[in-house]
Amino acid sequence: DAAVGIAALAEVARNRPLRRVYIAAAFTVIAHFGAFTFIEAFLRDMPGVTAPMIAVLLFAFGAAGILGNVLTGIFIDRFMRPAIALGLVVMAVALAVLGRGGAQLDLAALVVLLVAWGMAFAVLMVGLQAAVLRTAGTAAMPASAIYTAVFNTAGGAGAVLGAAVLGEAGLSGLMLSAGGVAVLALLVLVSGRRPGA
């Protein structure tokens, strides 16, 4: 029953708690796609990682995302804010350790970090979408339209910015930078009212 059209979108855009969720989502997606766009190149540079192993590692990342979706679906109603915060912390730490550890990481550590990142991003995608819906209330439809636009724009921006950082700072610097952007997302969310409250 939500209103649609330009007026409805403008009303949603004036909603300060929703704007906070959108900004946090943008930083989250920029961080993820800034790093993940170049994950194959990063893994290829890791000592002892062969081309077939890269496929297995990326499969583990995706499988962790499925598990993250399932777990978030179970707990999101009661623990939305902690789930989003924990997801951002885990993603930021995983990216930072990948960036700092680089070639010193062994295969087991690499698997753990990729699984943690994959699960965290899945938690964040479910959690941030839930935050939009809960915060928007009856304006869920136009709010979701804006969220979709933010997500897609941020995904493209993340890949472009990631390429720029890669050219200046290399793969390790890219991972570290992506982790820093994830921290910005966390700071945005904790700077005001909790999303959906």
Side-chain angles (χ1 to χ4, degrees):
D1 296 330
V4 294
I6 298 299
L9 294 172
E11 183 66 27
V12 166
R14 288 191 289 268
N15 184 315
R16 184 173 294 178
L18 267 175
R19 285 202 309 266
R20 184 175 293 113
V21 178
Y22 292 146
I23 294 169
F27 281 138
T28 300
V29 175
I30 287 170
H32 172 74
F33 284 102
F36 191 73
T37 300
F38 303 97
I39 190 64
E40 190 271 339
F42 180 84
L43 294 175
R44 194 174 59 237
D45 276 2
M46 297 293 289
V49 175
T50 63
M53 288 172 63
I54 292 175
V56 174
L57 290 169
L58 293 178
F59 179 84
F61 183 98
I66 294 172
L67 179 59
N69 269 305
V70 172
L71 292 176
T72 310
I74 294 170
F75 296 109
I76 195 67
D77 285 337
R78 288 181 295 163
F79 304 107
M80 184 177 69
R81 181 179 171 81
I84 295 171
L86 180 61
L88 285 168
V89 169
V90 170
M91 187 168 87
V93 170
L95 288 167
V97 174
L98 284 168
R100 291 289 292 178
Q104 298 175 343
L105 296 172
D106 59 24
L107 185 59
L110 190 58
V111 170
V112 169
L113 292 167
L114 288 174
V115 166
W117 176 11
M119 186 177 294
F121 187 66
V123 169
L124 290 165
M125 291 304 91
V126 177
L128 289 166
Q129 178 71 70
V132 168
L133 296 175
R134 189 177 295 181
T135 305
T138 58
M141 186 179 294
S144 292
I146 292 177
Y147 177 77
T148 301
V150 168
F151 185 99
N152 289 327
T153 302
V160 171
L161 291 171
V165 173
L166 178 61
E168 295 295 324
L171 288 163
S172 293
L174 172 59
M175 294 295 169
L176 283 170
S177 298
V181 176
V183 171
L184 289 178
L186 179 62
L187 293 175
V188 168
L189 282 179
V190 301
S191 65
R193 292 179 64 232
R194 55 183 180 155

